[in-house]
């Protein structure tokens, strides 16, 4: 699936919920299905700067695509990074760099987060794009 197709799928899933309490619960559920990062990647260099809670993201290239794993010490944040991992993992670096993140506004996520969590979300996206840039420049 392309990044856009995954984003459209996420927008469709979120449209099924009537209110934000249901959406928060869904985000928390998504966090429980997050492919966990290996403990040895839970290092200072893999921590997302600017997040209220601790979020670790690791990316590695496998067969021309970047595979991300992540974890967080907060259940809501874990769900947020799960959405991003689902969107960007197993994609080519060029596709990650060319993609937009309008789907986050479409589902209303940023406007329903505290300012510090919203900043953390932006930092998570930046880190994922930085991984993509690093892997693309290795070519």
């Amino acid at each position: 699936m392309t990044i856009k197709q995954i984003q459209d799928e996420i927008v469709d899933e979120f449209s099924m919920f009537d209110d934000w309490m249901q959406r928060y619960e869904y985000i928390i559920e998504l966090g429980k299905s997050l492919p966990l990062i290996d403990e040895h990647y839970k290092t200072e260099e893999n921590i997302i700067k600017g997040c209220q809670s601790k979020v670790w993201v690791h990316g590695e290239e496998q067969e021309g695509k970047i595979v991300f794993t992540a974890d967080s010490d907060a259940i809501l944040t874990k769900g947020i990074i799960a959405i991003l991992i689902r969107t960007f993992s197993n994609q080519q670096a060029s596709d990650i760099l060319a993609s937009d993140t309008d789907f986050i506004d479409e589902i209303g996520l940023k406007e329903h987060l505290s300012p510090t969590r919203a900043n953390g979300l932006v930092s998570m996206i930046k880190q994922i794009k930085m991984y993509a840039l690093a892997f693309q420049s290795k070519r």
Side-chain angles (χ1 to χ4, degrees):
M1 284 179 78
T2 67
I3 291 173
K4 181 71 177 130
Q5 288 170 324
I6 295 167
Q7 291 174 341
D8 289 346
E9 193 176 82
I10 292 168
V11 170
D12 286 346
E13 289 167 14
F14 273 80
S15 71
M16 293 186 296
F17 301 108
D18 296 327
D19 62 47
W20 264 93
M21 284 314 295
Q22 292 173 323
R23 289 178 182 191
Y24 286 133
E25 288 171 20
Y26 184 60
I27 292 169
I28 290 166
E29 282 304 308
L30 291 173
K32 292 176 183 174
S33 66
L34 181 67
L36 287 186
I37 194 168
D38 276 335
E39 286 297 315
H40 69 275
Y41 291 126
K42 282 188 172 183
T43 61
E44 195 61 36
E45 80 177 28
N46 286 331
I47 285 187
I48 304 288
K49 309 292 184 263
C51 273
Q52 181 178 350
S53 43
K54 285 189 176 171
V55 181
W56 298 269
V57 175
H58 174 72
E60 57 187 51
E61 198 167 26
Q62 295 176 4
E63 299 173 21
K65 296 184 176 184
I66 304 174
V67 176
F68 291 102
T69 54
D71 196 9
S72 175
D73 62 354
I75 57 170
L76 187 63
T77 307
K78 197 171 189 168
I80 294 168
I81 193 65
I83 292 170
L84 297 177
I85 298 294
R86 175 175 161 193
T87 304
F88 297 111
S89 194
N90 292 301
Q91 302 290 337
Q92 293 181 346
S94 58
D95 293 335
I96 294 170
L97 292 169
S99 68
D100 63 44
T101 53
D102 294 345
F103 80 105
I104 290 169
D105 294 328
E106 284 183 54
I107 64 176
L109 183 57
K110 208 182 288 181
E111 69 189 63
H112 286 88
L113 294 175
S114 67
T116 51
R117 279 226 162 78
N119 287 342
L121 172 61
V122 170
S123 297
M124 290 179 219
I125 294 167
K126 276 187 190 164
Q127 186 61 43
I128 287 169
K129 296 236 179 196
M130 291 300 289
Y131 268 110
L133 192 60
F135 284 118
Q136 187 176 47
S137 64
K138 282 183 179 180
R139 297 180 179 262

